[in-house]
Amino acid sequence: MLGKLSSFLSSNEPLPSSHTAPRRADTYVNLSKELEQAGVPTSETDCASCSNPCLEPSNGSGSINEIIYNGKSYEEYVLEKYGDLGELPKGFDTDWESDLQGSSKGGTGRVIVISTGKSDWERDHVDEKDSLAHHLNKVISSAPIPANSTETKSKSTFPFISPSQFPSPSEPLSKPIPTLPSLYSSSLISQSDDPSDQSVLVFPDWKVVHEIDNSPDGAKSLFDNQLSSELGRSGKPFEVEDEFSRRRSWVLPYRAVILLCSHKKRDKRCHIAAPLLRSALHTVLQKHGVEIDEDGSSLSHLDGPPLEEMHGSDTERESEVGKRIGEIESVQGGEGGQVGIFNINHLGGHRYAGVMLILFPSGAYISYGRVTPAEIPRVVEDTILQGKIVPGLLRNAVGVERPGVKTGKGFLSW
């Protein structure tokens, strides 16, 4: 089946440089069908642009266009509902020719996002001396892969869809994680009580860790107590007090986190695209009653005891983490709740700018490319609110397969 799609995509005639052009939409619809057969919840909105729609109206009347966009084109629908969302500058050099699907790797191990309060960094962000990214990169680079663990091979039909190596929220880790963490610097402002300490977001653990000493020893302590491959979402409880015992972590309050590449020193296209996408995200999310945190202020003084102070067995501690995640507003779909939006360093594939990562408490990880302000309604309505992949934007995804799921929760469920 994937071969048929590849054959279709490899036609000698180039596809249009527009997501809503019917011929390009045809390819998205074909991909959507195949993804759904593999158990990946997928958006059907491209059917409105497809020249050969196959989705039958449930009531036997009306066109696909009428069902999805109230009889309007996508452009008309967006303008009427959200207003002018802006556009990328004329001449913006986006690669529309090479394959977007499979152009990104990652997300199978932990994803670590460090507070720096900046939106641009050295060409390689870990080269910034005396930064936590620099110290933590050295720790991660020297960490051994567990001898008794093996890389989980994708069982999906698609090489760009991978199963998560982590259990669902509430479940304890049954075997070490074989993939080392991926490391990013971000615009997140540290919410630590000590202004010299940093805050770090850890995915898919869905937690923030405050009061991290910005030093080689602080980075080592963070890795050993929160990021080690043998540890679950709850991390390691405090057993022996030391100079780094001020470190504390809590479950994030967000229903989703969106990470936008803004790394100008790597490629100016991402730096141009990021604020335009952010503005569109504000407009569309607010229309659906979703609050936005873009500096980390919601992570200050979170409720409940820190995870390090929870007592009980690993199973009991993981269950408590899952309970807290389950209490996040709108965590399994619908309107409302809160989303964190932060700029991060180079994601790779800047020729596909705008690019973004979207992460969910369920463990789902989505990498999108060729995102324009006009595509943000699909990102919000389909992916954030319903837990469905937008096929034409997909680079890669982890932990999104939900065979048999027919509800609006999509991959938001676990």
Side-chain angles (χ1 to χ4, degrees):
M1 187 175 292
L2 183 58
K4 293 181 181 178
L5 176 62
S6 299
S7 176
F8 183 77
L9 290 172
S10 61
S11 168
N12 291 330
E13 184 179 352
L15 292 170
S17 300
S18 169
H19 286 297
T20 56
R23 282 193 60 246
R24 187 171 286 275
D26 288 346
T27 69
Y28 298 165
V29 172
N30 283 350
L31 177 57
S32 177
K33 293 179 191 175
E34 298 187 11
L35 287 168
E36 287 210 341
Q37 290 180 7
V40 179
T42 310
S43 167
E44 296 172 334
T45 53
D46 288 307
C47 290
S49 300
C50 176
S51 58
N52 296 292
C54 57
L55 181 66
E56 294 295 331
S58 59
N59 61 2
S61 64
S63 67
I64 300 305
N65 185 274
E66 289 172 343
I67 293 173
I68 297 179
Y69 295 126
N70 301 320
K72 302 177 177 64
S73 69
Y74 177 70
E75 292 86 349
E76 291 172 331
Y77 165 81
V78 170
L79 186 61
E80 181 177 291
K81 186 167 183 176
Y82 301 108
D84 184 1
L85 295 177
E87 57 185 17
L88 298 175
K90 290 183 178 180
F92 191 85
D93 185 19
T94 299
D95 180 351
W96 285 90
E97 297 179 1
S98 54
D99 289 341
L100 183 66
Q101 289 77 36
S103 64
S104 176
K105 295 180 173 60
T108 55
R110 282 188 165 99
V111 175
I112 313 304
V113 178
I114 298 174
S115 65
T116 72
K118 301 190 295 183
S119 292
D120 194 26
W121 303 267
E122 296 294 331
R123 181 172 175 80
D124 191 333
H125 73 118
V126 299
D127 287 343
E128 296 202 358
K129 303 297 184 183
D130 299 322
S131 69
L132 183 59
H134 180 76
H135 301 316
L136 189 54
N137 181 61
K138 287 188 173 182
V139 175
I140 292 174
S141 300
S142 62
I145 299 295
N148 61 339
S149 68
T150 56
E151 181 79 28
T152 302
K153 300 297 181 182
S154 175
K155 297 179 181 179
S156 173
T157 308
F158 306 92
F160 48 86
I161 303 289
S162 303
S164 177
Q165 297 178 358
F166 294 80
S168 299
S170 297
E171 297 180 11
L173 196 65
S174 60
K175 59 182 179 181
I177 302 300
T179 306
L180 292 173
S182 301
L183 185 61
Y184 297 99
S185 293
S186 78
S187 59
L188 171 70
I189 296 174
S190 176
Q191 300 298 314
S192 298
D193 292 336
D194 187 327
S196 66
D197 288 340
Q198 297 299 322
S199 298
V200 166
L201 310 184
V202 185
F203 305 101
D205 305 54
W206 213 254
K207 64 186 178 185
V208 58
V209 189
H210 292 312
E211 313 301 338
I212 303 170
D213 192 79
N214 188 7
S215 67
D217 287 340
K220 182 66 164 57
S221 177
L222 172 66
F223 185 89
D224 291 344
N225 291 281
Q226 301 287 353
L227 311 180
S228 175
S229 61
E230 294 85 6
L231 297 175
R233 296 177 186 244
S234 61
K236 187 180 291 186
F238 281 136
E239 296 175 348
V240 179
E241 294 290 321
D242 59 30
E243 60 180 306
F244 303 112
S245 295
R246 65 183 184 279
R247 184 192 67 254
R248 294 290 188 275
S249 59
W250 282 267
V251 166
L252 292 171
Y254 311 128
R255 60 178 295 175
V257 170
I258 302 173
L259 303 175
L260 301 171
C261 179
S262 64
H263 200 164
K264 184 177 182 180
K265 288 188 175 68
R266 287 300 292 259
D267 193 281
K268 66 180 182 181
R269 285 171 290 191
C270 290
H271 187 75
I272 293 170
L276 298 174
L277 299 183
R278 179 186 293 272
S279 176
L281 282 164
H282 269 263
T283 298
V284 178
L285 286 167
Q286 289 174 351
K287 193 79 172 180
H288 293 279
V290 181
E291 296 180 359
I292 298 166
D293 180 14
E294 53 186 353
D295 59 11
S297 56
S298 294
L299 306 179
S300 176
H301 303 100
L302 293 168
D303 295 334
L307 303 184
E308 291 83 358
E309 296 179 5
M310 294 191 308
H311 302 292
S313 65
D314 287 346
T315 298
E316 291 169 333
R317 297 176 74 248
E318 295 300 321
S319 178
E320 175 62 22
V321 172
K323 177 184 175 183
R324 295 188 189 187
I325 289 176
E327 293 171 349
I328 297 171
E329 183 180 354
S330 303
V331 70
Q332 294 199 7
E335 303 197 345
Q338 186 179 49
V339 166
I341 303 178
F342 308 106
N343 291 343
I344 60 169
N345 65 282
H346 181 58
L347 288 172
H350 38 253
R351 67 183 184 275
Y352 300 114
V355 293
M356 62 172 63
L357 300 182
I358 312 178
L359 304 110
F360 297 88
S362 66
Y365 163 108
I366 318 292
S367 175
Y368 278 160
R370 293 183 188 145
V371 184
T372 67
E375 292 301 304
I376 291 300
R378 291 181 178 179
V379 172
V380 171
E381 295 178 3
D382 298 344
T383 301
I384 303 293
L385 302 185
Q386 298 184 61
K388 295 181 178 181
I389 294 287
V390 179
L393 304 179
L394 181 63
R395 300 184 66 196
N396 85 304
V398 176
V400 296
E401 292 168 288
R402 299 290 190 278
V405 171
K406 298 297 183 182
T407 70
K409 296 178 181 179
F411 53 68
L412 305 178
S413 62
W414 63 85

